Amino acid sequence: MSSRLFAISFDAHRPERLAHFWSGLLGLERADECDDGVALLSGNDAGYRLGFRPSQAQKIAQNRLHFDLTSSCPEDQRETVARALDLGAQHADVGQEPDASHVVLADPKALNY
């Protein structure tokens, strides 16, 4: 018997706000049903969901998971970064080189949303 990935779930103080951020950034639609929190459909054939579950637990360590987004050209990257900032992301310093070709952002979850 095989298994398949159904959802990647995140605890959040404000799951609606975090779902709004990722929906706006990635163009994902909400799932019609979700027992606890908010779920977004993957938007491709992978068929998994991004889930955001209510939690009041305080963050005590660095995130162990992050998303690497890619763009086909520098202009697309600038547009994606601008959209993420408009949705509530902030630049983050994780020790990257000042002239790095990638941009590191913290989503609203990292900002206690």
Side-chain angles (χ1 to χ4, degrees):
M1 178 176 184
S2 65
S3 296
R4 68 177 183 90
L5 178 62
F6 177 73
I8 300 170
S9 297
F10 301 89
D11 290 344
H13 291 179
R14 295 172 54 195
E16 287 283 345
R17 173 68 176 100
L18 197 55
H20 174 77
F21 172 82
W22 285 107
S23 174
L25 186 61
L26 300 175
L28 303 179
E29 294 184 26
R30 279 179 82 125
D32 289 335
E33 77 290 334
C34 183
D35 294 337
D36 183 24
V38 182
L40 303 176
L41 302 174
S42 66
N44 60 35
D45 291 337
Y48 63 85
R49 299 169 181 219
L50 294 180
F52 304 95
R53 310 286 182 238
S55 173
Q56 294 307 311
Q58 295 299 313
K59 181 179 172 183
I60 57 173
Q62 182 177 358
N63 292 343
R64 298 181 75 182
L65 172 77
H66 66 270
F67 293 152
D68 288 337
L69 307 180
T70 188
S71 298
S72 57
C73 68
E75 183 176 313
D76 288 346
Q77 182 189 46
R78 285 190 292 277
E79 290 174 8
T80 299
V81 169
R83 189 169 62 250
L85 294 171
D86 286 345
L87 289 165
Q90 291 186 4
H91 287 277
D93 181 0
V94 295
Q96 68 271 29
E97 297 293 324
D99 59 346
S101 63
H102 63 277
V103 178
V104 179
L105 301 173
D107 70 10
K109 178 183 181 211
L111 305 171
N112 215 12
Y113 273 74

